[in-house]
PDB file of all heavy atoms in Angstrom:
ATOM      1  N   SER A   1      56.121 -16.994  27.014  1.00  0.00           N
ATOM      2  CA  SER A   1      55.473 -18.106  27.711  1.00  0.00           C
ATOM      3  C   SER A   1      56.429 -18.753  28.705  1.00  0.00           C
ATOM      4  O   SER A   1      56.045 -19.107  29.832  1.00  0.00           O
ATOM      5  CB  SER A   1      54.980 -19.149  26.689  1.00  0.00           C
ATOM      6  OG  SER A   1      54.430 -20.281  27.333  1.00  0.00           O
ATOM      7  N   ASP A   2      57.694 -18.920  28.300  1.00  0.00           N
ATOM      8  CA  ASP A   2      58.689 -19.486  29.210  1.00  0.00           C
ATOM      9  C   ASP A   2      58.986 -18.539  30.377  1.00  0.00           C
ATOM     10  O   ASP A   2      59.244 -18.981  31.504  1.00  0.00           O
ATOM     11  CB  ASP A   2      59.980 -19.818  28.460  1.00  0.00           C
ATOM     12  CG  ASP A   2      59.965 -21.217  27.864  1.00  0.00           C
ATOM     13  OD1 ASP A   2      59.215 -22.071  28.370  1.00  0.00           O
ATOM     14  OD2 ASP A   2      60.700 -21.463  26.896  1.00  0.00           O
ATOM     15  N   LEU A   3      58.960 -17.230  30.122  1.00  0.00           N
ATOM     16  CA  LEU A   3      59.138 -16.275  31.206  1.00  0.00           C
ATOM     17  C   LEU A   3      58.022 -16.416  32.240  1.00  0.00           C
ATOM     18  O   LEU A   3      58.263 -16.371  33.456  1.00  0.00           O
ATOM     19  CB  LEU A   3      59.164 -14.844  30.663  1.00  0.00           C
ATOM     20  CG  LEU A   3      60.474 -14.369  30.037  1.00  0.00           C
ATOM     21  CD1 LEU A   3      60.295 -12.993  29.399  1.00  0.00           C
ATOM     22  CD2 LEU A   3      61.590 -14.305  31.077  1.00  0.00           C
ATOM     23  N   LYS A   4      56.798 -16.596  31.752  1.00  0.00           N
ATOM     24  CA  LYS A   4      55.676 -16.809  32.667  1.00  0.00           C
ATOM     25  C   LYS A   4      55.868 -18.099  33.464  1.00  0.00           C
ATOM     26  O   LYS A   4      55.621 -18.143  34.674  1.00  0.00           O
ATOM     27  CB  LYS A   4      54.359 -16.872  31.883  1.00  0.00           C
ATOM     28  CG  LYS A   4      53.925 -15.544  31.289  1.00  0.00           C
ATOM     29  CD  LYS A   4      52.598 -15.716  30.541  1.00  0.00           C
ATOM     30  CE  LYS A   4      52.112 -14.397  29.964  1.00  0.00           C
ATOM     31  NZ  LYS A   4      50.832 -14.575  29.211  1.00  0.00           N
ATOM     32  N   LYS A   5      56.323 -19.139  32.785  1.00  0.00           N
ATOM     33  CA  LYS A   5      56.542 -20.418  33.467  1.00  0.00           C
ATOM     34  C   LYS A   5      57.618 -20.283  34.533  1.00  0.00           C
ATOM     35  O   LYS A   5      57.534 -20.898  35.604  1.00  0.00           O
ATOM     36  CB  LYS A   5      56.939 -21.487  32.451  1.00  0.00           C
ATOM     37  CG  LYS A   5      57.137 -22.872  33.072  1.00  0.00           C
ATOM     38  CD  LYS A   5      57.636 -23.874  32.049  1.00  0.00           C
ATOM     39  CE  LYS A   5      57.947 -25.213  32.719  1.00  0.00           C
ATOM     40  NZ  LYS A   5      58.544 -26.173  31.774  1.00  0.00           N
ATOM     41  N   PHE A   6      58.631 -19.482  34.258  1.00  0.00           N
ATOM     42  CA  PHE A   6      59.728 -19.290  35.207  1.00  0.00           C
ATOM     43  C   PHE A   6      59.214 -18.741  36.543  1.00  0.00           C
ATOM     44  O   PHE A   6      59.754 -19.061  37.610  1.00  0.00           O
ATOM     45  CB  PHE A   6      60.761 -18.341  34.613  1.00  0.00           C
ATOM     46  CG  PHE A   6      61.923 -18.056  35.500  1.00  0.00           C
ATOM     47  CD1 PHE A   6      62.853 -19.044  35.810  1.00  0.00           C
ATOM     48  CD2 PHE A   6      62.104 -16.788  36.050  1.00  0.00           C
ATOM     49  CE1 PHE A   6      63.945 -18.779  36.635  1.00  0.00           C
ATOM     50  CE2 PHE A   6      63.187 -16.514  36.877  1.00  0.00           C
ATOM     51  CZ  PHE A   6      64.104 -17.510  37.166  1.00  0.00           C
ATOM     52  N   THR A   7      58.156 -17.939  36.488  1.00  0.00           N
ATOM     53  CA  THR A   7      57.629 -17.335  37.720  1.00  0.00           C
ATOM     54  C   THR A   7      56.873 -18.337  38.580  1.00  0.00           C
ATOM     55  O   THR A   7      56.671 -18.092  39.773  1.00  0.00           O
ATOM     56  CB  THR A   7      56.684 -16.155  37.396  1.00  0.00           C
ATOM     57  OG1 THR A   7      55.507 -16.638  36.729  1.00  0.00           O
ATOM     58  CG2 THR A   7      57.391 -15.125  36.528  1.00  0.00           C
ATOM     59  N   THR A   8      56.459 -19.456  37.995  1.00  0.00           N
ATOM     60  CA  THR A   8      55.647 -20.439  38.742  1.00  0.00           C
ATOM     61  C   THR A   8      56.221 -21.843  38.647  1.00  0.00           C
ATOM     62  O   THR A   8      55.543 -22.817  38.944  1.00  0.00           O
ATOM     63  CB  THR A   8      54.209 -20.463  38.204  1.00  0.00           C
ATOM     64  OG1 THR A   8      54.221 -20.818  36.810  1.00  0.00           O
ATOM     65  CG2 THR A   8      53.535 -19.112  38.368  1.00  0.00           C
ATOM     66  N   ARG A   9      57.475 -21.980  38.254  1.00  0.00           N
ATOM     67  CA  ARG A   9      58.031 -23.282  37.929  1.00  0.00           C
ATOM     68  C   ARG A   9      58.176 -24.185  39.148  1.00  0.00           C
ATOM     69  O   ARG A   9      58.295 -23.712  40.281  1.00  0.00           O
ATOM     70  CB  ARG A   9      59.403 -23.112  37.275  1.00  0.00           C
ATOM     71  CG  ARG A   9      60.508 -22.656  38.224  1.00  0.00           C
ATOM     72  CD  ARG A   9      61.769 -22.294  37.469  1.00  0.00           C
ATOM     73  NE  ARG A   9      62.862 -21.916  38.348  1.00  0.00           N
ATOM     74  CZ  ARG A   9      63.834 -22.753  38.709  1.00  0.00           C
ATOM     75  NH1 ARG A   9      63.852 -23.989  38.246  1.00  0.00           N
ATOM     76  NH2 ARG A   9      64.790 -22.358  39.523  1.00  0.00           N
ATOM     77  N   ASN A  10      58.209 -25.458  38.879  1.00  0.00           N
ATOM     78  CA  ASN A  10      58.497 -26.477  39.888  1.00  0.00           C
ATOM     79  C   ASN A  10      59.889 -27.029  39.596  1.00  0.00           C
ATOM     80  O   ASN A  10      60.059 -27.786  38.649  1.00  0.00           O
ATOM     81  CB  ASN A  10      57.453 -27.597  39.843  1.00  0.00           C
ATOM     82  CG  ASN A  10      57.692 -28.664  40.906  1.00  0.00           C
ATOM     83  OD1 ASN A  10      58.728 -28.677  41.576  1.00  0.00           O
ATOM     84  ND2 ASN A  10      56.724 -29.552  41.067  1.00  0.00           N
ATOM     85  N   PRO A  11      60.909 -26.668  40.390  1.00  0.00           N
ATOM     86  CA  PRO A  11      62.285 -27.092  40.082  1.00  0.00           C
ATOM     87  C   PRO A  11      62.471 -28.604  40.151  1.00  0.00           C
ATOM     88  O   PRO A  11      63.450 -29.133  39.624  1.00  0.00           O
ATOM     89  CB  PRO A  11      63.116 -26.382  41.156  1.00  0.00           C
ATOM     90  CG  PRO A  11      62.165 -26.069  42.256  1.00  0.00           C
ATOM     91  CD  PRO A  11      60.844 -25.824  41.588  1.00  0.00           C
ATOM     92  N   ASP A  12      61.551 -29.314  40.784  1.00  0.00           N
ATOM     93  CA  ASP A  12      61.677 -30.769  40.876  1.00  0.00           C
ATOM     94  C   ASP A  12      61.522 -31.453  39.517  1.00  0.00           C
ATOM     95  O   ASP A  12      61.925 -32.594  39.346  1.00  0.00           O
ATOM     96  CB  ASP A  12      60.632 -31.343  41.846  1.00  0.00           C
ATOM     97  CG  ASP A  12      60.912 -30.926  43.288  1.00  0.00           C
ATOM     98  OD1 ASP A  12      62.084 -30.629  43.593  1.00  0.00           O
ATOM     99  OD2 ASP A  12      59.970 -30.874  44.086  1.00  0.00           O
ATOM    100  N   HIS A  13      60.913 -30.744  38.558  1.00  0.00           N
ATOM    101  CA  HIS A  13      60.667 -31.338  37.246  1.00  0.00           C
ATOM    102  C   HIS A  13      61.917 -31.386  36.375  1.00  0.00           C
ATOM    103  O   HIS A  13      62.019 -32.204  35.482  1.00  0.00           O
ATOM    104  CB  HIS A  13      59.562 -30.567  36.517  1.00  0.00           C
ATOM    105  CG  HIS A  13      58.199 -30.862  37.042  1.00  0.00           C
ATOM    106  ND1 HIS A  13      57.071 -30.210  36.608  1.00  0.00           N
ATOM    107  CD2 HIS A  13      57.775 -31.744  37.974  1.00  0.00           C
ATOM    108  CE1 HIS A  13      56.005 -30.669  37.246  1.00  0.00           C
ATOM    109  NE2 HIS A  13      56.410 -31.604  38.081  1.00  0.00           N
ATOM    110  N   GLY A  14      62.852 -30.505  36.583  1.00  0.00           N
ATOM    111  CA  GLY A  14      64.044 -30.483  35.766  1.00  0.00           C
ATOM    112  C   GLY A  14      63.792 -29.947  34.366  1.00  0.00           C
ATOM    113  O   GLY A  14      62.736 -29.393  34.066  1.00  0.00           O
ATOM    114  N   VAL A  15      64.787 -30.113  33.498  1.00  0.00           N
ATOM    115  CA  VAL A  15      64.668 -29.628  32.121  1.00  0.00           C
ATOM    116  C   VAL A  15      63.507 -30.314  31.415  1.00  0.00           C
ATOM    117  O   VAL A  15      62.692 -29.672  30.741  1.00  0.00           O
ATOM    118  CB  VAL A  15      65.978 -29.874  31.347  1.00  0.00           C
ATOM    119  CG1 VAL A  15      65.811 -29.491  29.881  1.00  0.00           C
ATOM    120  CG2 VAL A  15      67.121 -29.066  31.970  1.00  0.00           C
ATOM    121  N   PHE A  16      63.433 -31.625  31.569  1.00  0.00           N
ATOM    122  CA  PHE A  16      62.315 -32.376  31.017  1.00  0.00           C
ATOM    123  C   PHE A  16      61.376 -32.736  32.172  1.00  0.00           C
ATOM    124  O   PHE A  16      61.550 -32.249  33.294  1.00  0.00           O
ATOM    125  CB  PHE A  16      62.833 -33.608  30.277  1.00  0.00           C
ATOM    126  CG  PHE A  16      63.743 -33.262  29.123  1.00  0.00           C
ATOM    127  CD1 PHE A  16      65.120 -33.411  29.229  1.00  0.00           C
ATOM    128  CD2 PHE A  16      63.233 -32.747  27.944  1.00  0.00           C
ATOM    129  CE1 PHE A  16      65.972 -33.070  28.186  1.00  0.00           C
ATOM    130  CE2 PHE A  16      64.065 -32.396  26.884  1.00  0.00           C
ATOM    131  CZ  PHE A  16      65.436 -32.568  27.007  1.00  0.00           C
ATOM    132  N   GLN A  17      60.395 -33.545  31.945  1.00  0.00           N
ATOM    133  CA  GLN A  17      59.456 -33.864  33.021  1.00  0.00           C
ATOM    134  C   GLN A  17      60.117 -34.680  34.123  1.00  0.00           C
ATOM    135  O   GLN A  17      59.639 -34.729  35.249  1.00  0.00           O
ATOM    136  CB  GLN A  17      58.254 -34.631  32.453  1.00  0.00           C
ATOM    137  CG  GLN A  17      57.428 -33.792  31.477  1.00  0.00           C
ATOM    138  CD  GLN A  17      56.103 -34.430  31.162  1.00  0.00           C
ATOM    139  OE1 GLN A  17      55.199 -34.413  31.972  1.00  0.00           O
ATOM    140  NE2 GLN A  17      56.001 -35.012  29.982  1.00  0.00           N
ATOM    141  N   ILE A  18      61.229 -35.330  33.782  1.00  0.00           N
ATOM    142  CA  ILE A  18      61.992 -36.152  34.711  1.00  0.00           C
ATOM    143  C   ILE A  18      63.396 -35.563  34.801  1.00  0.00           C
ATOM    144  O   ILE A  18      63.912 -35.029  33.826  1.00  0.00           O
ATOM    145  CB  ILE A  18      62.066 -37.613  34.193  1.00  0.00           C
ATOM    146  CG1 ILE A  18      60.659 -38.159  33.932  1.00  0.00           C
ATOM    147  CG2 ILE A  18      62.814 -38.511  35.163  1.00  0.00           C
ATOM    148  CD1 ILE A  18      60.647 -39.438  33.125  1.00  0.00           C
ATOM    149  N   LYS A  19      64.020 -35.630  35.970  1.00  0.00           N
ATOM    150  CA  LYS A  19      65.405 -35.183  36.082  1.00  0.00           C
ATOM    151  C   LYS A  19      66.262 -35.936  35.058  1.00  0.00           C
ATOM    152  O   LYS A  19      66.156 -37.158  34.913  1.00  0.00           O
ATOM    153  CB  LYS A  19      65.933 -35.449  37.488  1.00  0.00           C
ATOM    154  CG  LYS A  19      65.309 -34.564  38.574  1.00  0.00           C
ATOM    155  CD  LYS A  19      65.877 -33.165  38.544  1.00  0.00           C
ATOM    156  CE  LYS A  19      65.426 -32.375  39.774  1.00  0.00           C
ATOM    157  NZ  LYS A  19      65.953 -31.003  39.772  1.00  0.00           N
ATOM    158  N   TYR A  20      67.134 -35.204  34.364  1.00  0.00           N
ATOM    159  CA  TYR A  20      67.893 -35.793  33.261  1.00  0.00           C
ATOM    160  C   TYR A  20      68.740 -36.972  33.718  1.00  0.00           C
ATOM    161  O   TYR A  20      68.872 -37.967  32.998  1.00  0.00           O
ATOM    162  CB  TYR A  20      68.773 -34.720  32.621  1.00  0.00           C
ATOM    163  CG  TYR A  20      69.315 -35.114  31.271  1.00  0.00           C
ATOM    164  CD1 TYR A  20      68.465 -35.208  30.166  1.00  0.00           C
ATOM    165  CD2 TYR A  20      70.661 -35.393  31.087  1.00  0.00           C
ATOM    166  CE1 TYR A  20      68.946 -35.567  28.916  1.00  0.00           C
ATOM    167  CE2 TYR A  20      71.148 -35.754  29.842  1.00  0.00           C
ATOM    168  CZ  TYR A  20      70.289 -35.837  28.757  1.00  0.00           C
ATOM    169  OH  TYR A  20      70.765 -36.215  27.530  1.00  0.00           O
ATOM    170  N   SER A  21      69.300 -36.899  34.905  1.00  0.00           N
ATOM    171  CA  SER A  21      70.148 -37.987  35.406  1.00  0.00           C
ATOM    172  C   SER A  21      69.354 -39.273  35.651  1.00  0.00           C
ATOM    173  O   SER A  21      69.924 -40.365  35.683  1.00  0.00           O
ATOM    174  CB  SER A  21      70.833 -37.571  36.705  1.00  0.00           C
ATOM    175  OG  SER A  21      69.871 -37.256  37.706  1.00  0.00           O
ATOM    176  N   ASN A  22      68.032 -39.136  35.794  1.00  0.00           N
ATOM    177  CA  ASN A  22      67.178 -40.306  36.033  1.00  0.00           C
ATOM    178  C   ASN A  22      66.545 -40.856  34.753  1.00  0.00           C
ATOM    179  O   ASN A  22      65.822 -41.856  34.804  1.00  0.00           O
ATOM    180  CB  ASN A  22      66.066 -39.958  37.028  1.00  0.00           C
ATOM    181  CG  ASN A  22      66.602 -39.614  38.402  1.00  0.00           C
ATOM    182  OD1 ASN A  22      67.635 -40.141  38.806  1.00  0.00           O
ATOM    183  ND2 ASN A  22      65.923 -38.735  39.114  1.00  0.00           N
ATOM    184  N   MET A  23      66.811 -40.200  33.624  1.00  0.00           N
ATOM    185  CA  MET A  23      66.212 -40.645  32.363  1.00  0.00           C
ATOM    186  C   MET A  23      67.083 -41.723  31.721  1.00  0.00           C
ATOM    187  O   MET A  23      68.292 -41.532  31.564  1.00  0.00           O
ATOM    188  CB  MET A  23      66.066 -39.456  31.397  1.00  0.00           C
ATOM    189  CG  MET A  23      65.033 -38.435  31.831  1.00  0.00           C
ATOM    190  SD  MET A  23      65.089 -36.880  30.887  1.00  0.00           S
ATOM    191  CE  MET A  23      64.791 -37.455  29.211  1.00  0.00           C
ATOM    192  N   PRO A  24      66.498 -42.865  31.320  1.00  0.00           N
ATOM    193  CA  PRO A  24      67.288 -43.889  30.621  1.00  0.00           C
ATOM    194  C   PRO A  24      67.626 -43.435  29.201  1.00  0.00           C
ATOM    195  O   PRO A  24      66.927 -42.609  28.615  1.00  0.00           O
ATOM    196  CB  PRO A  24      66.353 -45.100  30.598  1.00  0.00           C
ATOM    197  CG  PRO A  24      64.980 -44.521  30.685  1.00  0.00           C
ATOM    198  CD  PRO A  24      65.099 -43.281  31.516  1.00  0.00           C
ATOM    199  N   LYS A  25      68.702 -43.969  28.662  1.00  0.00           N
ATOM    200  CA  LYS A  25      69.086 -43.662  27.290  1.00  0.00           C
ATOM    201  C   LYS A  25      68.135 -44.351  26.324  1.00  0.00           C
ATOM    202  O   LYS A  25      67.769 -45.503  26.505  1.00  0.00           O
ATOM    203  CB  LYS A  25      70.519 -44.132  27.028  1.00  0.00           C
ATOM    204  CG  LYS A  25      71.017 -43.811  25.628  1.00  0.00           C
ATOM    205  CD  LYS A  25      72.442 -44.315  25.413  1.00  0.00           C
ATOM    206  CE  LYS A  25      72.907 -44.042  23.996  1.00  0.00           C
ATOM    207  NZ  LYS A  25      74.282 -44.554  23.735  1.00  0.00           N
ATOM    208  N   ALA A  26      67.719 -43.626  25.297  1.00  0.00           N
ATOM    209  CA  ALA A  26      66.841 -44.214  24.273  1.00  0.00           C
ATOM    210  C   ALA A  26      67.625 -45.236  23.456  1.00  0.00           C
ATOM    211  O   ALA A  26      68.725 -44.961  22.987  1.00  0.00           O
ATOM    212  CB  ALA A  26      66.298 -43.123  23.356  1.00  0.00           C
ATOM    213  N   THR A  27      67.055 -46.420  23.299  1.00  0.00           N
ATOM    214  CA  THR A  27      67.631 -47.439  22.426  1.00  0.00           C
ATOM    215  C   THR A  27      66.657 -47.693  21.291  1.00  0.00           C
ATOM    216  O   THR A  27      65.440 -47.558  21.456  1.00  0.00           O
ATOM    217  CB  THR A  27      67.912 -48.746  23.191  1.00  0.00           C
ATOM    218  OG1 THR A  27      66.692 -49.199  23.811  1.00  0.00           O
ATOM    219  CG2 THR A  27      68.961 -48.533  24.263  1.00  0.00           C
ATOM    220  N   PHE A  28      67.184 -48.087  20.150  1.00  0.00           N
ATOM    221  CA  PHE A  28      66.372 -48.157  18.942  1.00  0.00           C
ATOM    222  C   PHE A  28      66.241 -49.597  18.453  1.00  0.00           C
ATOM    223  O   PHE A  28      67.202 -50.361  18.478  1.00  0.00           O
ATOM    224  CB  PHE A  28      66.990 -47.275  17.856  1.00  0.00           C
ATOM    225  CG  PHE A  28      67.013 -45.825  18.240  1.00  0.00           C
ATOM    226  CD1 PHE A  28      68.061 -45.305  19.004  1.00  0.00           C
ATOM    227  CD2 PHE A  28      65.984 -44.988  17.879  1.00  0.00           C
ATOM    228  CE1 PHE A  28      68.084 -43.973  19.389  1.00  0.00           C
ATOM    229  CE2 PHE A  28      65.989 -43.647  18.255  1.00  0.00           C
ATOM    230  CZ  PHE A  28      67.043 -43.147  19.012  1.00  0.00           C
ATOM    231  N   TYR A  29      65.030 -49.941  18.027  1.00  0.00           N
ATOM    232  CA  TYR A  29      64.802 -51.312  17.568  1.00  0.00           C
ATOM    233  C   TYR A  29      65.242 -51.485  16.117  1.00  0.00           C
ATOM    234  O   TYR A  29      65.426 -50.515  15.370  1.00  0.00           O
ATOM    235  CB  TYR A  29      63.348 -51.737  17.764  1.00  0.00           C
ATOM    236  CG  TYR A  29      62.285 -50.951  17.001  1.00  0.00           C
ATOM    237  CD1 TYR A  29      62.036 -51.173  15.647  1.00  0.00           C
ATOM    238  CD2 TYR A  29      61.469 -50.026  17.665  1.00  0.00           C
ATOM    239  CE1 TYR A  29      61.050 -50.490  14.972  1.00  0.00           C
ATOM    240  CE2 TYR A  29      60.472 -49.338  16.998  1.00  0.00           C
ATOM    241  CZ  TYR A  29      60.265 -49.562  15.654  1.00  0.00           C
ATOM    242  OH  TYR A  29      59.287 -48.875  14.985  1.00  0.00           O
ATOM    243  N   ASP A  30      65.431 -52.709  15.731  1.00  0.00           N
ATOM    244  CA  ASP A  30      65.872 -53.076  14.390  1.00  0.00           C
ATOM    245  C   ASP A  30      64.870 -52.547  13.360  1.00  0.00           C
ATOM    246  O   ASP A  30      63.682 -52.863  13.424  1.00  0.00           O
ATOM    247  CB  ASP A  30      65.991 -54.596  14.291  1.00  0.00           C
ATOM    248  CG  ASP A  30      66.596 -55.066  12.970  1.00  0.00           C
ATOM    249  OD1 ASP A  30      66.679 -54.256  12.029  1.00  0.00           O
ATOM    250  OD2 ASP A  30      66.967 -56.251  12.888  1.00  0.00           O
ATOM    251  N   GLN A  31      65.346 -51.750  12.397  1.00  0.00           N
ATOM    252  CA  GLN A  31      64.449 -51.150  11.403  1.00  0.00           C
ATOM    253  C   GLN A  31      63.744 -52.189  10.536  1.00  0.00           C
ATOM    254  O   GLN A  31      62.718 -51.889   9.929  1.00  0.00           O
ATOM    255  CB  GLN A  31      65.222 -50.186  10.504  1.00  0.00           C
ATOM    256  CG  GLN A  31      65.674 -48.927  11.217  1.00  0.00           C
ATOM    257  CD  GLN A  31      66.175 -47.884  10.240  1.00  0.00           C
ATOM    258  OE1 GLN A  31      65.449 -47.439   9.352  1.00  0.00           O
ATOM    259  NE2 GLN A  31      67.429 -47.495  10.389  1.00  0.00           N
ATOM    260  N   SER A  32      64.292 -53.400  10.483  1.00  0.00           N
ATOM    261  CA  SER A  32      63.637 -54.445   9.687  1.00  0.00           C
ATOM    262  C   SER A  32      62.278 -54.829  10.267  1.00  0.00           C
ATOM    263  O   SER A  32      61.462 -55.454   9.590  1.00  0.00           O
ATOM    264  CB  SER A  32      64.527 -55.682   9.584  1.00  0.00           C
ATOM    265  OG  SER A  32      64.699 -56.288  10.849  1.00  0.00           O
ATOM    266  N   LEU A  33      62.037 -54.455  11.528  1.00  0.00           N
ATOM    267  CA  LEU A  33      60.755 -54.751  12.163  1.00  0.00           C
ATOM    268  C   LEU A  33      59.671 -53.758  11.754  1.00  0.00           C
ATOM    269  O   LEU A  33      58.492 -54.002  11.988  1.00  0.00           O
ATOM    270  CB  LEU A  33      60.902 -54.750  13.693  1.00  0.00           C
ATOM    271  CG  LEU A  33      61.891 -55.763  14.284  1.00  0.00           C
ATOM    272  CD1 LEU A  33      62.022 -55.554  15.783  1.00  0.00           C
ATOM    273  CD2 LEU A  33      61.436 -57.182  13.978  1.00  0.00           C
ATOM    274  N   ARG A  34      60.091 -52.640  11.163  1.00  0.00           N
ATOM    275  CA  ARG A  34      59.121 -51.608  10.784  1.00  0.00           C
ATOM    276  C   ARG A  34      58.885 -51.671   9.278  1.00  0.00           C
ATOM    277  O   ARG A  34      59.760 -51.344   8.481  1.00  0.00           O
ATOM    278  CB  ARG A  34      59.636 -50.215  11.172  1.00  0.00           C
ATOM    279  CG  ARG A  34      58.565 -49.134  11.046  1.00  0.00           C
ATOM    280  CD  ARG A  34      59.112 -47.806  11.550  1.00  0.00           C
ATOM    281  NE  ARG A  34      58.038 -46.837  11.724  1.00  0.00           N
ATOM    282  CZ  ARG A  34      57.574 -46.032  10.759  1.00  0.00           C
ATOM    283  NH1 ARG A  34      58.104 -46.092   9.544  1.00  0.00           N
ATOM    284  NH2 ARG A  34      56.597 -45.179  10.999  1.00  0.00           N
ATOM    285  N   LYS A  35      57.703 -52.091   8.905  1.00  0.00           N
ATOM    286  CA  LYS A  35      57.394 -52.319   7.488  1.00  0.00           C
ATOM    287  C   LYS A  35      56.376 -51.298   6.998  1.00  0.00           C
ATOM    288  O   LYS A  35      55.340 -51.087   7.631  1.00  0.00           O
ATOM    289  CB  LYS A  35      56.890 -53.751   7.293  1.00  0.00           C
ATOM    290  CG  LYS A  35      57.895 -54.808   7.772  1.00  0.00           C
ATOM    291  CD  LYS A  35      57.406 -56.216   7.508  1.00  0.00           C
ATOM    292  CE  LYS A  35      58.334 -57.242   8.143  1.00  0.00           C
ATOM    293  NZ  LYS A  35      59.721 -57.146   7.639  1.00  0.00           N
ATOM    294  N   ARG A  36      56.674 -50.707   5.852  1.00  0.00           N
ATOM    295  CA  ARG A  36      55.805 -49.716   5.226  1.00  0.00           C
ATOM    296  C   ARG A  36      55.817 -49.917   3.718  1.00  0.00           C
ATOM    297  O   ARG A  36      56.807 -50.417   3.153  1.00  0.00           O
ATOM    298  CB  ARG A  36      56.293 -48.295   5.548  1.00  0.00           C
ATOM    299  CG  ARG A  36      56.180 -47.896   7.016  1.00  0.00           C
ATOM    300  CD  ARG A  36      54.728 -47.754   7.439  1.00  0.00           C
ATOM    301  NE  ARG A  36      54.581 -47.233   8.794  1.00  0.00           N
ATOM    302  CZ  ARG A  36      54.554 -47.980   9.888  1.00  0.00           C
ATOM    303  NH1 ARG A  36      54.713 -49.288   9.800  1.00  0.00           N
ATOM    304  NH2 ARG A  36      54.370 -47.423  11.066  1.00  0.00           N
ATOM    305  N   PRO A  37      54.759 -49.503   3.010  1.00  0.00           N
ATOM    306  CA  PRO A  37      54.791 -49.510   1.542  1.00  0.00           C
ATOM    307  C   PRO A  37      55.736 -48.425   1.033  1.00  0.00           C
ATOM    308  O   PRO A  37      56.014 -47.452   1.738  1.00  0.00           O
ATOM    309  CB  PRO A  37      53.342 -49.195   1.141  1.00  0.00           C
ATOM    310  CG  PRO A  37      52.536 -49.304   2.391  1.00  0.00           C
ATOM    311  CD  PRO A  37      53.461 -49.051   3.535  1.00  0.00           C
ATOM    312  N   TYR A  38      56.204 -48.608  -0.198  1.00  0.00           N
ATOM    313  CA  TYR A  38      57.078 -47.613  -0.814  1.00  0.00           C
ATOM    314  C   TYR A  38      56.578 -47.276  -2.216  1.00  0.00           C
ATOM    315  O   TYR A  38      56.055 -48.136  -2.936  1.00  0.00           O
ATOM    316  CB  TYR A  38      58.526 -48.109  -0.888  1.00  0.00           C
ATOM    317  CG  TYR A  38      59.246 -48.024   0.426  1.00  0.00           C
ATOM    318  CD1 TYR A  38      59.080 -49.016   1.393  1.00  0.00           C
ATOM    319  CD2 TYR A  38      60.071 -46.949   0.727  1.00  0.00           C
ATOM    320  CE1 TYR A  38      59.731 -48.942   2.620  1.00  0.00           C
ATOM    321  CE2 TYR A  38      60.729 -46.871   1.941  1.00  0.00           C
ATOM    322  CZ  TYR A  38      60.553 -47.863   2.884  1.00  0.00           C
ATOM    323  OH  TYR A  38      61.190 -47.776   4.092  1.00  0.00           O
ATOM    324  N   TYR A  39      56.761 -46.000  -2.566  1.00  0.00           N
ATOM    325  CA  TYR A  39      56.487 -45.482  -3.907  1.00  0.00           C
ATOM    326  C   TYR A  39      57.819 -45.398  -4.628  1.00  0.00           C
ATOM    327  O   TYR A  39      58.774 -44.806  -4.113  1.00  0.00           O
ATOM    328  CB  TYR A  39      55.830 -44.114  -3.771  1.00  0.00           C
ATOM    329  CG  TYR A  39      55.827 -43.228  -5.002  1.00  0.00           C
ATOM    330  CD1 TYR A  39      54.670 -43.057  -5.760  1.00  0.00           C
ATOM    331  CD2 TYR A  39      56.961 -42.500  -5.377  1.00  0.00           C
ATOM    332  CE1 TYR A  39      54.655 -42.201  -6.870  1.00  0.00           C
ATOM    333  CE2 TYR A  39      56.958 -41.645  -6.473  1.00  0.00           C
ATOM    334  CZ  TYR A  39      55.805 -41.505  -7.214  1.00  0.00           C
ATOM    335  OH  TYR A  39      55.775 -40.666  -8.304  1.00  0.00           O
ATOM    336  N   ILE A  40      57.899 -46.012  -5.811  1.00  0.00           N
ATOM    337  CA  ILE A  40      59.130 -45.967  -6.614  1.00  0.00           C
ATOM    338  C   ILE A  40      58.770 -45.518  -8.026  1.00  0.00           C
ATOM    339  O   ILE A  40      57.935 -46.150  -8.681  1.00  0.00           O
ATOM    340  CB  ILE A  40      59.839 -47.339  -6.684  1.00  0.00           C
ATOM    341  CG1 ILE A  40      60.188 -47.849  -5.289  1.00  0.00           C
ATOM    342  CG2 ILE A  40      61.111 -47.235  -7.514  1.00  0.00           C
ATOM    343  CD1 ILE A  40      59.281 -48.936  -4.799  1.00  0.00           C
TER     344      ILE A  40
END
């Protein structure tokens, strides 16, 4: 499938949908904000 994509690729898309240099770094929110039930 990737070989097929290589034949029709758009180089403007980069490795991901956005050029890697233009992608912001993922930051993570405080886990205390995420609440779930627990089985013990």
Side-chain angles (χ1 to χ4, degrees):
S1 176
D2 272 336
L3 281 173
K4 290 180 178 179
K5 182 185 175 185
F6 179 68
T7 66
T8 60
R9 72 189 183 98
N10 182 351
D12 292 335
H13 285 175
V15 175
F16 299 104
Q17 295 193 75
I18 305 166
K19 290 284 190 180
Y20 195 70
S21 60
N22 295 329
M23 291 168 60
K25 182 181 178 182
T27 56
F28 297 85
Y29 62 79
D30 186 346
Q31 290 192 59
S32 66
L33 300 175
R34 191 176 193 273
K35 302 183 187 301
R36 293 292 186 272
Y38 283 82
Y39 163 104
I40 302 104

